[in-house]
Amino acid sequence: MGKRITVYDLQSRKGQRKWLQLHVDNAEEAAAAVECGIVVLSCEPDHHLEGIRQAAPAAFLSVGMPHGTVASPEEAIRLGFQMLRRGADAIYCSHSPLFIEAMAREGIPVTGHVGLVPNRGTWTGFRAVGKTPEEAVRVFRAVKDLENAGAAAIEVEVVPVRLAEYITRNTPMITMGMGCGSACDTQYLFSSDVLGTHAGHYPRHAKRYADFRALMSELQHKRVEAFSAFATDVADGTYPERKHKVDMDDATYERFQALARSI
């Protein structure tokens, strides 16, 4: 990659290019993603953010604003700018359009969210959203509310494919599609699902391409095995061996003692 990808780059290619997108958890995953040509990323605003930015300097990085961490539009603006300074290119925000509009008015690129929004799952249940005409209209109305608020991009999660296609055709925002076929401007998955890093629920739209959980279990077994061997060696006196130690000869030690006594 050359220059850093911007909102303008994404929006100017809308309808012309399908972008791959991953939510990554650390710098190693970010580096692996860009090596594979995946240059639209998202992440949490935790201690990994700066490392992810460094590992993917030219990628477009949408960073999540944890739901409920801001209680006013002013706080959203302050935190949004802070996240931009840390390396974000856009701020993912599942708060109301009031918060999104406040940030957008200050030139902060914002990614909104419609469909199955986990932070609002109590209102919809964790299911496909928009399968009836009335519910599909509510999803599209939410899209337009976010568009009018000034959002630059919008995550579209687990809605029917035809609804996702309609949304993508009828908004200038970049649509980031998860669980709605290949209708959106990006094809979006979480690295944890792709890599198989957890034992919990895998959503229907996810596809595991690796079994990192098994690899991590094997690594943990190796850790325990190595630490146990270390403890056994110390207990029976086989560690440390001569090659592991630094010593001084008798003359040097005697001289040291003489000097030490004068202190």
Side-chain angles (χ1 to χ4, degrees), residues 40 50-51 74 97 116 119 134 170 190 198 204 210 242 259:
V40 179
E50 285 79 5
E74 291 75 20
L116 174 54
N119 291 320
E134 295 76 16
N170 289 278
F190 276 67
H198 60 93
R204 181 174 61 180
R242 184 179 181 85
L259 293 171

Side-chain angles (χ1 to χ4, degrees), residues 42-55:
S42 65
C43 72
E44 300 302 319
D46 58 19
H47 65 284
H48 290 290
L49 171 53
E50 285 79 5
I52 289 170
R53 177 79 279 171
Q54 187 174 8

Side-chain angles (χ1 to χ4, degrees), residues 56-126:
F60 184 87
L61 184 58
S62 182
V63 179
M65 177 178 287
H67 196 76
T69 55
V70 292
S72 70
E74 291 75 20
E75 289 180 357
I77 292 168
R78 187 177 298 108
L79 183 56
F81 277 125
Q82 181 186 103
M83 292 161 68
L84 291 180
R85 286 193 297 271
R86 294 182 62 199
D89 294 299
I91 309 304
Y92 165 85
C93 181
S94 58
H95 291 74
S96 74
L98 179 69
F99 290 72
I100 291 172
E101 182 176 11
M103 287 189 283
R105 282 180 179 275
E106 299 303 322
I108 299 172
V110 183
T111 301
H113 197 165
V114 297
L116 174 54
V117 184
N119 291 320
R120 299 183 176 186
T122 191
W123 297 101
T124 61
F126 288 85

Side-chain angles (χ1 to χ4, degrees), residues 7 15 18 29 47 50 66 84 120 124 133 137-138 152 158 166 189 192 194 208 212 226-227 235 239 249 262:
V7 170
K18 178 77 65 179
E29 291 181 358
H47 65 284
E50 285 79 5
L84 291 180
R120 299 183 176 186
T124 61
V137 166
R138 287 198 293 273
V158 194
Y166 187 89
L189 281 178
S192 58
V194 173
R208 274 177 280 184
F212 271 42
F227 293 166
Y239 178 85
D249 58 37
S262 66

Side-chain angles (χ1 to χ4, degrees), residues 12-26:
S12 65
R13 300 292 295 278
K14 185 175 173 67
Q16 302 172 29
R17 174 174 175 175
K18 178 77 65 179
W19 302 84
L20 297 174
Q21 180 174 2
L22 279 174
H23 184 94
V24 296
D25 293 323
N26 52 54

